[in-house]
C-alpha cells in the first residue's frame, strides 16, 4: 500500500467510525454529511472524493463490519459455510461454542457497531445482512432436518431473534459478563440438555 492509498484508507476508516458513533446518537435520516465530516475531522470535499451520498458510506461501513466479523473465525468463510447438504446433521448445529465464542468476542470488541445496528436497524441495513445467512445456510440446514419450507421462517426468526435478544441484554450491561458465560446461556436456551446448564 503506497502513501496515497494509505491516506485514502485512513480517511475512509475515520468516516466509517464517525458514522457508527453518530448512529449511536440518532437515526440515519437525521445524520448530515456536515456532522460526519466534523466527527471524522475531514472537510466536505474530502467526503465527496470518497462517496456521492451518505448511503454510499453506510454501504461501505456495513461491508467493513462484515470483513471484521469474518476475521474472528478461525475457519475460512468458504469452509465455514460450504457443503451443507453433504455434512452430517450433528455438524450442522451452528449454535455451538465453536461459532458462538468468535461471534460474541466480535460483539464485545465492536460494541459501538452493534449498539448502532440495534438502534438503527434500517440505517445499518441489519436485516439485509441476514439474507445470505438465511438463504444459503439456515434454509438448507432446516431442509436437512426435514422442516417443511413453510415453517422454516418461524424457526429462523426464533433462533435469530432469540440470540439477538440475549446479545441486546448483554450490550445493555456493557458486555460485563464473560464471553464464555453468555455462550453457555445461549447454548442452554437453544439446545437445553435436561437441566445440565452450568452457571
Amino acid at each position: 500500500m503506497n502513501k496515497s492509498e494509505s491516506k485514502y484508507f485512513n480517511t475512509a476508516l475515520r468516516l466509517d467510525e464517525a458514522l457508527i458513533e453518530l448512529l449511536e446518537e440518532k437515526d440515519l435520516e437525521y445524520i448530515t454529511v456536515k456532522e460526519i465530516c466534523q466527527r471524522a475531522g475531514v472537510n466536505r470535499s474530502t467526503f465527496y472524493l470518497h462517496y456521492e451520498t451518505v448511503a454510499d458510506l453506510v454501504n461501505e461501513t456495513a461491508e467493513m463490519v462484515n470483513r471484521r466479523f469474518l476475521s474472528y473465525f478461525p475457519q475460512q468463510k468458504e469452509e465455514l459455510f460450504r457443503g451443507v447438504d453433504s455434512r452430517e446433521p450433528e455438524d450442522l448445529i451452528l449454535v455451538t461454542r465453536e461459532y458462538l465464542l468468535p461471534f460474541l468476542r466480535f460483539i464485545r470488541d465492536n460494541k459501538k457497531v452493534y449498539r448502532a445496528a440495534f438502534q438503527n436497524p434500517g440505517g445499518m441495513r441489519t436485516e439485509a445482512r441476514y439474507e445470505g445467512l438465511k438463504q444459503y445456510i439456515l434454509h438448507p440446514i432446516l431442509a436437512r432436518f426435514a422442516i417443511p419450507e413453510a415453517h422454516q421462517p418461524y424457526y429462523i426468526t426464533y433462533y435469530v431473534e432469540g440470540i439477538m435478544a440475549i446479545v441486546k441484554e448483554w450490550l445493555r450491561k456493557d458486555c460485563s459478563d464473560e464471553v464464555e458465560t453468555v455462550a453457555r446461556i445461549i447454548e442452554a436456551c437453544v439446545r437445553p440438555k435436561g437441566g445440565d446448564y452450568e452457571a
Side-chain angles (χ1 to χ4, degrees):
M1 182 182 296
N2 66 37
K3 191 173 180 180
S4 64
E5 288 173 330
S6 175
K7 187 176 178 182
Y8 182 94
F9 175 79
N10 287 333
T11 301
L13 188 59
R14 288 191 353 235
L15 289 165
D16 289 337
E17 297 296 342
L19 175 64
I20 289 166
E21 287 177 17
L22 287 165
L23 282 168
E24 281 196 82
E25 300 167 13
K26 57 170 77 175
D27 288 338
L28 180 64
E29 63 196 68
Y30 300 111
I31 296 174
T32 65
V33 170
K34 180 180 177 183
E35 287 176 302
I36 295 168
C37 291
Q38 285 175 338
R39 189 68 61 104
V42 302
N43 60 42
R44 287 171 65 93
S45 61
T46 301
F47 178 91
Y48 289 112
L49 269 174
H50 293 262
Y51 315 100
E52 289 184 26
T53 66
V54 172
D56 293 335
L57 174 60
V58 168
N59 288 335
E60 181 190 270
T61 302
E63 290 306 316
M64 179 264 301
V65 170
N66 281 346
R67 285 191 301 277
R68 276 190 200 169
F69 176 72
L70 289 173
S71 74
Y72 273 64
F73 287 86
Q75 310 92 327
Q76 292 297 313
K77 179 175 145 183
E78 295 77 21
E79 180 187 330
L80 186 62
F81 296 143
R82 78 164 180 248
V84 168
D85 49 350
S86 62
R87 294 166 74 181
E88 294 298 319
E90 60 270 13
D91 295 331
L92 296 176
I93 307 295
L94 294 180
V95 185
T96 64
R97 304 264 167 101
E98 177 185 8
Y99 298 100
L100 286 173
L101 291 175
F103 171 65
L104 293 169
R105 286 184 190 115
F106 179 78
I107 292 170
R108 179 199 59 205
D109 295 346
N110 294 274
K111 291 185 275 193
K112 282 185 183 178
V113 172
Y114 274 83
R115 285 192 188 109
F118 285 133
Q119 289 172 6
N120 291 276
M124 290 298 289
R125 298 174 55 225
T126 306
E127 190 57 35
R129 299 290 152 197
Y130 292 125
E131 286 310 310
L133 175 70
K134 291 175 184 177
Q135 181 178 355
Y136 300 110
I137 309 301
L138 299 177
H139 282 297
I141 287 173
L142 291 171
R144 284 288 308 278
F145 284 100
I147 305 298
E149 191 171 338
H151 299 176
Q152 290 180 15
Y154 294 107
Y155 282 77
I156 290 169
T157 299
Y158 173 80
Y159 282 105
V160 172
E161 296 297 326
I163 291 169
M164 287 300 104
I166 291 171
V167 166
K168 284 180 190 178
E169 178 61 18
W170 189 43
L171 282 167
R172 191 186 66 71
K173 296 171 67 178
D174 201 35
C175 300
S176 59
D177 290 316
E178 294 293 326
V179 165
E180 291 77 10
T181 301
V182 178
R184 281 197 305 270
I185 290 167
I186 292 171
E187 275 189 310
C189 289
V190 173
R191 302 185 320 145
K193 299 175 185 172
D196 290 354
Y197 173 71
E198 300 172 13

